[in-house]
Amino acid sequence: DKQQLDLDHLQLNFNLGTLAQKQWIVEAGCTLIDQSENNNVKQSILRDECMSENIVSIDGQDGNAKAVLKKVEDVSTFIINENKQQYLEDATPWIIGFSGGKDSTAVLQLIFYALAELSAKQRHKEVHVLSNDTLVENPNVVRFLDTQLQVIEEKGKGELFSHNPDLFQVVKVTPKLEDTFWLNLIGKGYPSPNRWFRWCTERMKINPTSDYILRQVSEHGKAIIVLGTRKAESGNRAASMKQYEVQGVRLRKHTLPNAYVFAPIAEMSN
């Protein structure tokens, strides 16, 4: 069920059931290709093979490829417009959480689409793509993430923000030495992380990310954190998001001071 999307040669993988996008490469004997000029055209190009009956059900809904892709385009157009409106609303920098997973990648690609539809003059405020490396990740995962971050940085600085590359930053944070896994496990004698004592999450992921966000808040007064969280992920996720959201308002308060959360795909189902 893995589908592949090529946006301006960003080779990233997603699950079709959880992603609304403008352009697809659908692995069902067909290809939906990005034919854009200057990376700015959003018209989907569908080869005849995509009309095959191979695509019977996507996300539990029967229908042919045309109907599915039309729905995908409608949803993605709505989210892209929301992204543009929020970006243009103020000068507060965006910090986009990027793990390389399907949801954070979907958000990043939809933001790339939105920014590509704005003029250079309108792309006036900073965008940070923030990733985290715990230093105990699978080497293949690290290589994949580093490759993606390199391509994202090249496209962001070289195309979207070629008029002012300093506005686009790609950052990978790591834990402080005293918070690293092996120092705590062997050096301090901590037990292996378990469901009752998950000491690693805060030290290795939350703290490095929070430190970076707080530095941006200190510099700019406030920051907007853009996340790929969805209510449909789990009951706990839905409850957590509902606790902080305000009806009719795109942003919700973050636990960090002067930081706000924007979740463009919050309402997307599985």
Side-chain angles (χ1 to χ4, degrees):
D1 63 348
K2 288 290 182 183
Q3 315 302 320
Q4 196 175 54
L5 172 67
D6 180 2
L7 165 61
D8 306 336
H9 314 299
L10 291 179
Q11 301 292 337
L12 308 170
N13 296 315
F14 310 99
N15 179 298
L16 182 57
T18 59
L19 183 62
Q21 294 289 355
K22 282 231 179 216
Q23 295 162 301
W24 297 88
I25 293 178
V26 182
E27 300 292 349
C30 63
T31 307
L32 192 59
I33 309 173
D34 177 4
Q35 295 288 320
S36 61
E37 295 180 7
N38 300 322
N39 307 306
N40 211 16
V41 177
K42 301 301 185 294
Q43 178 60 46
S44 297
I45 308 298
L46 188 62
R47 288 202 327 214
D48 291 340
E49 299 97 287
C50 281
M51 295 302 101
S52 113
E53 294 182 358
N54 291 335
I55 302 179
V56 178
S57 177
I58 298 179
D59 197 21
Q61 298 183 12
D62 293 336
N64 58 40
K66 282 184 177 178
V68 171
L69 291 169
K70 178 62 169 64
K71 180 179 179 181
V72 165
E73 185 164 354
D74 288 345
V75 173
S76 64
T77 297
F78 174 81
I79 296 174
I80 288 167
N81 287 333
E82 287 273 292
N83 289 344
K84 287 193 294 185
Q85 291 170 19
Q86 186 60 51
Y87 180 83
L88 295 171
E89 199 162 280
D90 52 40
T92 306
W94 278 14
I95 302 173
I96 306 169
F98 181 75
S99 67
K102 65 184 189 308
D103 290 338
S104 66
T105 307
V107 166
L108 181 59
Q109 297 240 358
L110 287 165
I111 289 171
F112 263 53
Y113 280 132
L115 294 175
E117 293 183 358
L118 301 177
S119 66
K121 184 178 180 179
Q122 289 175 308
R123 291 181 226 127
H124 65 285
K125 70 178 183 180
E126 293 182 17
V127 172
H128 302 245
V129 177
L130 179 60
S131 189
N132 176 278
D133 183 355
T134 63
L135 302 180
V136 286
E137 306 288 349
N138 183 301
N140 289 327
V141 173
V142 175
R143 282 193 291 270
F144 171 80
L145 182 59
D146 287 345
T147 300
Q148 299 309 307
L149 292 176
Q150 181 180 352
V151 177
I152 290 165
E153 185 172 37
E154 290 172 357
K155 291 297 175 180
K157 286 182 175 290
E159 296 181 17
L160 287 176
F161 289 91
S162 59
H163 59 291
N164 189 351
D166 289 341
L167 290 176
F168 189 84
Q169 301 294 327
V170 176
V171 179
K172 185 171 75 169
V173 295
T174 56
K176 296 176 181 178
L177 177 62
E178 60 267 29
D179 288 336
T180 53
F181 183 83
W182 296 111
L183 189 147
N184 281 277
L185 190 75
I186 298 175
K188 296 181 181 179
Y190 277 38
S192 297
N194 54 64
R195 60 184 296 186
W196 298 280
F197 187 37
R198 296 181 62 182
W199 56 266
C200 59
T201 304
E202 182 174 2
R203 287 173 171 81
M204 297 163 60
K205 299 195 72 159
I206 296 175
N207 287 347
T209 302
S210 297
D211 287 346
Y212 184 85
I213 294 169
L214 289 173
R215 287 198 299 272
Q216 300 310 312
V217 169
S218 176
E219 181 178 346
H220 300 279
K222 57 183 177 178
I224 294 174
I225 305 162
V226 187
L227 299 177
T229 51
R230 296 179 301 108
K231 294 177 181 178
E233 290 178 53
S234 68
N236 288 339
R237 175 71 74 184
S240 174
M241 294 176 71
K242 186 175 179 61
Q243 180 181 357
Y244 294 101
E245 72 180 3
V246 179
Q247 193 67 31
V249 178
R250 294 193 195 99
L251 302 183
R252 57 184 172 85
K253 192 71 179 69
H254 194 274
T255 53
L256 295 176
N258 295 324
Y260 302 85
V261 174
F262 176 41
I265 63 171
E267 304 298 333
M268 291 184 68
S269 71
N270 291 326

